[in-house]
Amino acid sequence: MELGIHTEKRGDNIAVVSLSGEVDVYSSPRVRSAMLEQLDGGSRYLVMDLSKVDYLDSSGLGILVAGLKRSRENGGEVFLVNPKPRIQHVLEVTGLHNVFTILKSVDEAVARAERN
Amino acid sequence: MELGIHTEKRGDNIAVVSLSGEVDVYSSPRVRSAMLEQLDGGSRYLVMDLSKVDYLDSSGLGILVAGLKRSRENGGEVFLVNPKPRIQHVLEVTGLHNVFTILKSVDEAVARAERN
Amino acid sequence: MSLNDAPVMELRVPALAEYVSVVRLAVLGLCGRLPLSYNEVEDLRLAVGEACASSVQRAEKAGRAASRITVTGELEEGRIVLTICDDVPIPPEAGPSGSLDIDPDFDDESFRISLMQLLVDEVGIGEAAGGGQVVRLVKNCEQGRDAAG
Amino acid sequence: MSLNDAPVMELRVPALAEYVSVVRLAVLGLCGRLPLSYNEVEDLRLAVGEACASSVQRAEKAGRAASRITVTGELEEGRIVLTICDDVPIPPEAGPSGSLDIDPDFDDESFRISLMQLLVDEVGIGEAAGGGQVVRLVKNCEQGRDAAG
Ligand SMILES: Nc1ncnc2c1ncn2[C@@H]1O[C@H](COP(=O)(O)OP(=O)(O)O)[C@@H](O)[C@H]1O
Ligand SMILES: Nc1ncnc2c1ncn2[C@@H]1O[C@H](COP(=O)(O)OP(=O)(O)O)[C@@H](O)[C@H]1O
């Protein structure tokens, strides 16, 4: 249930951040730090693997959106990967599925980032 | 999490009762009814499949013990099958692992009942 | 049934981020008493988490580490009613809070309120007797309507 | 830290069997605040479930459907302390209860108490101010001792 965060660089300007468990008002500051660390470290593209996320609240959504803005300012992008149906539902209810590029796999997202 | 009960006859005097989820003070009366139904219906041997049980409290243990006594009175037996480590722990802590025959699979238990 | 006379759940925890999950889990337990679908339960859990997060965030801003959140739950015919009440004074103007600080324009309190409105059937927000905030969330069981009720 | 001044959790539910799972889930949430192992958490959850079951069973026998169980949780250095309090008068002689009725000799209340004693580090049982029962359960974190504490 606790939040797990795993980060992996894929080339110079791409980072894969895999989250697991619950992203809520308590744990989301750690997601923010992980994203900022990559963005500040030169990764313009963030691939957020959500496949193991069970809970995502507004503080988590806010951090994803803020990360998206920051990465786009640098000519990059934030890709969301493989959210569970429940999380997809939350993204749709908030309209954020239109704001983010949501992809099926990490490899697909990394390939997209490399093509850009 | 809710309790699931599935019952299956295996021959004249053997019944397999498969439980899933939580056996607690709320749900255990349903386990009791299921066991009594089989014992009263002529099944001297009860094979209790615990492999999907996540929680078992004293009311559940009490019902298993009561069922065991009843079945032994009729020359039968109650076999417990494949409890999760957590449930095995509870059986050990209470000493009930010495009272019950605990087996690895339903087939093994049915075979034991058939041999008797 | 005498259960309708009083809430079937009253829970009080500190208004700190790390206790919101205690509330969410207790609400999960309470939802087990009604024929709610998985998505209905998760919608309500998310909404109650948002209401608690609002309390937590105001308590933080007000520097009131000893604040408490009180959650009550009532089960009515085919619906569940939760109130989330705190003792943190509501700031006179509740404009953009900028707590995310990467994006200071974003008003996460209004985002939270819209999210709650999208997730449950009724959202009421008011001032508690003691000066804090009360959020009232109602979720109807769709299953309950079709089936047993 | 002001948290030690008051319990970090206060939960009140009806003394009915179907609400014991609400308590167990809330306690699961609270356990997340301490470095308890899976087995330690499950031991405590089982013990608190037994204490609640005791309240439920006495409430049933006394025909008091409106009884309540109040659970408080405190986090202390490396341990968690729960009290489970009810408002059901303790019967003068608490002999074998025979609630299982297949086995009327068996005293499930003493079985419950032994089980609690096997599961947690301290069990205290007494009479509440209002005449009901109070059970106090203490679980130490073994992990906490080795590691951060
Ligand atoms: N920090 C945030 N947290 C949550 N949602 C946000 C945040 N910032 C923006 N959004 C939401 O993302 C969507 C698009 O945001 P944005 O790109 O900022 O558009 P706009 O410039 O119109 O605000 C909007 O629905 C907005 O509500
Ligand atoms: N209804 C019950 N619920 C839980 N445990 C029980 C029950 N009946 C007996 N036990 C436990 O099972 C074990 C053996 O019980 P039993 O066969 O009745 O032995 P004894 O005749 O010595 O009581 C004992 O540890 C006892 O505490």
Side-chain angles (χ1 to χ4, degrees), chain B:
Chain B
M1 224 120 57
E2 296 277 289
L3 170 67
I5 306 183
H6 177 87
T7 309
E8 201 187 318
K9 292 280 289 183
R10 292 275 187 110
D12 276 357
N13 53 17
I14 306 174
V16 178
V17 180
S18 306
L19 306 177
S20 59
E22 305 200 328
V23 181
D24 75 351
V25 62
Y26 175 57
S27 62
S28 63
R30 288 175 50 217
V31 176
R32 185 175 166 280
S33 304
M35 290 179 80
L36 278 179
E37 193 183 316
Q38 294 308 317
L39 290 167
D40 291 345
S43 294
R44 291 196 318 254
Y45 293 94
L46 294 188
V47 177
M48 304 300 297
D49 183 352
L50 303 183
S51 59
K52 293 186 184 128
V53 172
D54 301 309
Y55 185 91
L56 180 62
D57 76 355
S58 70
S59 52
L61 292 170
I63 282 158
L64 291 175
V65 171
L68 179 71
K69 288 186 176 179
R70 173 79 75 98
S71 72
R72 284 188 183 164
E73 278 162 25
N74 303 334
E77 183 64 51
V78 170
F79 298 110
L80 304 187
V81 169
N82 201 21
K84 291 189 181 186
R86 173 65 211 169
I87 304 300
Q88 178 70 29
H89 171 80
V90 173
L91 292 167
E92 283 172 15
V93 151
T94 54
L96 288 171
H97 67 307
N98 292 319
V99 175
F100 284 98
T101 309
I102 304 177
L103 298 170
K104 285 263 180 307
S105 77
V106 168
D107 289 345
E108 193 183 340
V110 170
R112 278 278 276 272
E114 282 169 345
R115 271 207 306 278
N116 283 17

Side-chain angles (χ1 to χ4, degrees), chain B residues 1 22 24-26 32 36 54-59 61-63 65-67 69-70 85-86 89-90 93-94 96, chain D residues 17-18 20-21 24-25 38-40 42-43 45-46 49-50 53 56 100-103 106 108 111-112 115 118-119:
Chain B
M1 224 120 57
E22 305 200 328
D24 75 351
V25 62
Y26 175 57
R32 185 175 166 280
L36 278 179
D54 301 309
Y55 185 91
L56 180 62
D57 76 355
S58 70
S59 52
L61 292 170
I63 282 158
V65 171
K69 288 186 176 179
R70 173 79 75 98
R86 173 65 211 169
H89 171 80
V90 173
V93 151
T94 54
L96 288 171
Chain D
E18 57 264 46
V20 174
S21 63
R24 287 203 306 267
L25 279 164
Y38 170 78
N39 255 319
E40 286 169 342
E42 289 303 307
D43 285 350
R45 258 155 57 79
L46 185 48
E50 297 298 334
V56 166
L100 294 169
D101 82 63
I102 326 188
D103 181 10
F106 184 71
D108 34 301
F111 182 58
R112 236 181 238 129
L115 187 51
L118 292 162
L119 293 168

Side-chain angles (χ1 to χ4, degrees), chain A residues 1 22 24-26 32 36 55-59 61-63 66 69-70 86 89-90 93-94 96, chain C residues 17-18 20 24-25 38-39 42-43 45-46 49-50 53 56 100-103 111-112 115 118-119:
Chain A
M1 226 117 57
E22 306 201 328
D24 74 351
V25 62
Y26 176 56
R32 185 174 167 281
L36 278 179
Y55 186 90
L56 180 62
D57 75 355
S58 70
S59 51
L61 292 170
I63 283 158
K69 288 187 176 178
R70 174 77 76 99
R86 173 65 209 168
H89 172 79
V90 173
V93 151
T94 54
L96 289 172
Chain C
E18 56 265 47
V20 174
R24 286 203 308 267
L25 280 165
Y38 170 77
N39 256 317
E42 289 304 305
D43 284 351
R45 259 156 54 81
L46 185 49
E50 297 298 334
V56 166
L100 294 169
D101 83 64
I102 324 189
D103 182 10
F111 183 59
R112 236 180 237 130
L115 187 51
L118 292 162
L119 293 167

Side-chain angles (χ1 to χ4, degrees), chain A residues 1-3 5 22-33 55 57-60 63, chain C residues 16-22 24 49 52-53 56-57 60 112, chain D residues 29 32-34:
Chain A
M1 226 117 57
E2 296 279 290
L3 170 67
I5 306 183
E22 306 201 328
V23 181
D24 74 351
V25 62
Y26 176 56
S27 61
S28 64
R30 287 175 50 219
V31 176
R32 185 174 167 281
S33 305
Y55 186 90
D57 75 355
S58 70
S59 51
I63 283 158
Chain C
L16 296 172
E18 56 265 47
Y19 289 94
V20 174
S21 63
V22 176
R24 286 203 308 267
C52 292
V56 166
Q57 210 168 353
E60 258 171 30
R112 236 180 237 130
Chain D
R33 300 294 100 240
L34 280 180

